[in-house]
Amino acid sequence: MTVRTGTSGRGPALAVWGLTRAVLLLCVFKVFTVPGPDVTSDVSVIYRGWYEVLRAGSYPLDDVTWQYPPAAALAVLSPDLLPFLEYASAFFVLVLLCDALVLGLLLYAGSRPGMRDAGTWVWVAGVPLLGPTVYARYDLMVTAVAVAALLAGVRHPRVLGALAAFGALLKVWPVLLLVGTARGRATRRSWSAAAVTAAVLVLAAGVVLPGAFAFLTFQRDRGLEIESLGALVFHVARQFGWEGRVELRYGSMEFAGPHVALVSTLALVLSLFAFGWLLVWRLRARAHAVHTPADAAFTAVLLFTVTSRVISPQYMVWPLGLAAVCLVFRGSRMALPACLVLAATAVTLLEFPLGFAHVVASDAQGVALMTVRNGLLVAATLAAGRRLWRDTVPGARQGRPAQRLSRAGRAGTPASAP
């Protein structure tokens, strides 16, 4: 028997969304001033500068802060869709529209048989926890593509693949949406669609504008950003006389000095181990449920976020959006990791922009904030990985077995769907 969720929660969710997003807009439009660095300068200065270069017919080849795949140009140029607004204002409004799109997708998915509205509340409550930064970067746009991909992929694997490829060419990480697709036809359809879409977009980018892949060099040369997990080593080391410093490099604050290169390399090694774990999981997983692609994508993004050399504040919207998708499905066991991500998001606001001076100084408050935020992310990653493994690997599951898909479900349609 299928269980239908009611629509009684929509009114409160819409009301809270409207109120919190109004506050975010007031912050980015500087009606309210948030203490700390001006988070809107990336849009009004950096993005606007890239916009002028792109409009002139080239990628920003001389700007090392351009570290994004070629389709990111679409996000930077998107304010042209609202020519009656000034660049930054148009950008903030477009991010708001993407936020509303995610809300609509989650509300629709949550109202379907066998689904729930918990995911909607994760999104409604989680986004404002990041503060105005979430509207002053294009990461929410990418997350909207990822959410749409996972929800569409339940019935249409090819759409999942195409959107995942498009998202990957916006900001790389959405390629991880493909890691949990069901074996057989669903994987063949989604992965082939992703390959074709990526090839077409890469070819188009290379033909239209020169320098589409300059970002690879700039990204390779990045160092250890002060908000990353590995940076905690040097935050603590500074208390004992470490002779290093903090520098503005590649658009973010990074540590420079003795042993930084070593820790940065170790972070890359951890990312390789994360990839290896995902590969082993993919090979051993057998029990596949309708929520498995979302759970796997959520876990994968957490793994590569915590092992990254850079954990910028806006990165938190990635696992937040995927956690929301996970909790739309009744069978998902990602509630605890999702709550840990929500807590980490709230602490992120305390460290940036509110307490960023303390983080740069590596004083007691700054070290405490980074320890708590990154500790919560590590805990969320371990919890998500453990649950994913137990739900899908034979012999590892405990309690209620995962809901298996029927033949139609393996092609992308849940067995409980009418």
Side-chain angles (χ1 to χ4, degrees):
M1 182 177 71
T2 57
V3 179
R4 290 187 178 271
T5 57
T7 59
S8 59
R10 287 189 176 187
L14 289 170
V16 174
W17 183 89
L19 177 62
T20 55
R21 275 43 175 194
V23 173
L24 288 177
L25 284 178
L26 290 173
C27 290
V28 293
F29 281 112
K30 299 183 180 179
V31 176
F32 299 150
T33 302
V34 177
D38 179 10
V39 301
T40 66
S41 63
D42 274 35
V43 177
S44 58
V45 177
I46 298 176
Y47 286 16
R48 181 57 190 265
W50 293 340
Y51 170 83
E52 298 295 344
V53 175
L54 290 164
R55 286 284 300 268
S58 173
Y59 283 92
L61 303 179
D62 298 325
D63 188 348
V64 295
T65 62
W66 176 261
Q67 300 162 15
Y68 308 108
L74 298 176
V76 174
L77 293 169
S78 63
D80 274 349
L81 296 172
L82 303 175
F84 49 88
L85 292 176
E86 180 269 334
Y87 181 87
S89 300
F91 184 88
F92 300 145
V93 171
L94 289 170
V95 175
L96 172 69
L97 293 176
C98 290
D99 187 354
L101 172 63
V102 174
L103 176 68
L105 291 171
L106 293 170
L107 283 172
Y108 175 75
S111 67
R112 294 183 62 80
M115 310 292 260
R116 57 182 176 179
D117 60 5
T120 301
W121 280 106
V122 169
W123 183 256
V124 168
V127 169
L129 290 178
L130 198 54
T133 303
V134 74
Y135 272 21
R137 306 290 189 272
Y138 83 92
D139 294 78
L140 193 147
M141 296 178 175
V142 184
T143 303
V145 174
V147 170
L150 285 173
L151 292 177
V154 172
R155 293 177 178 271
H156 307 289
R158 288 192 179 96
V159 178
L160 166 62
L163 288 177
F166 176 56
L169 289 173
L170 282 170
K171 207 162 189 181
V172 180
W173 68 265
V175 73
L176 297 172
L177 303 180
L178 300 172
V179 73
T181 54
R183 294 171 181 266
R185 186 164 54 176
T187 289
R188 290 193 300 271
R189 288 179 173 181
S190 58
W191 289 23
S192 60
V196 171
T197 302
V200 171
L201 291 176
V202 166
L203 179 62
V207 170
V208 173
L209 294 176
F213 302 100
F215 79 97
L216 293 172
T217 299
F218 300 153
Q219 188 64 242
R220 179 197 64 198
D221 294 338
R222 291 202 69 166
L224 195 68
E225 194 251 358
I226 64 172
E227 294 166 279
S228 65
L229 180 63
L232 278 173
V233 173
F234 300 106
H235 282 299
V236 174
R238 292 178 87 181
Q239 317 305 312
F240 299 94
W242 175 68
E243 297 179 354
R245 59 198 179 278
V246 174
E247 295 181 351
L248 177 62
R249 302 175 66 234
Y250 295 94
S252 65
M253 305 301 291
E254 298 182 354
F255 277 120
H259 311 300
V260 171
L262 173 61
V263 174
S264 184
T265 300
L266 289 175
L268 292 175
V269 171
L270 284 177
S271 292
L272 289 176
F273 275 114
F275 175 80
W277 185 89
L278 283 172
L279 179 61
V280 171
W281 169 79
R282 173 82 191 181
L283 293 174
R284 294 194 59 186
R286 291 294 182 271
H288 194 282
V290 67
H291 55 83
T292 301
D295 290 355
F298 176 52
T299 303
V301 167
L302 281 172
L303 280 167
F304 283 98
T305 299
V306 298
T307 60
S308 173
R309 295 173 296 172
V310 181
I311 310 180
S312 296
Q314 63 270 20
Y315 289 13
M316 294 303 302
V317 77
W318 310 347
L320 189 66
L322 301 189
V325 176
C326 290
L327 295 195
V328 164
F329 299 102
R330 287 189 177 275
S332 176
R333 297 182 60 246
M334 293 294 167
L336 175 59
C339 289
L340 292 170
V341 167
L342 284 171
T345 303
V347 178
T348 299
L349 174 60
L350 296 179
E351 64 93 357
F352 185 90
L354 299 182
F356 196 58
H358 298 284
V359 175
V360 173
S362 298
D363 62 19
Q365 181 176 336
V367 174
L369 286 171
M370 294 317 309
T371 301
V372 173
R373 198 284 296 271
N374 290 340
L376 287 167
L377 281 178
V378 170
T381 303
L382 294 175
R386 185 168 180 262
R387 282 160 172 73
L388 179 66
W389 189 275
R390 285 190 168 188
D391 278 355
T392 57
V393 175
R397 289 177 291 157
Q398 295 180 358
R400 180 175 58 87
Q403 174 190 358
R404 292 181 179 272
L405 294 179
S406 67
R407 177 176 298 181
R410 292 183 187 277
T413 305
S416 60

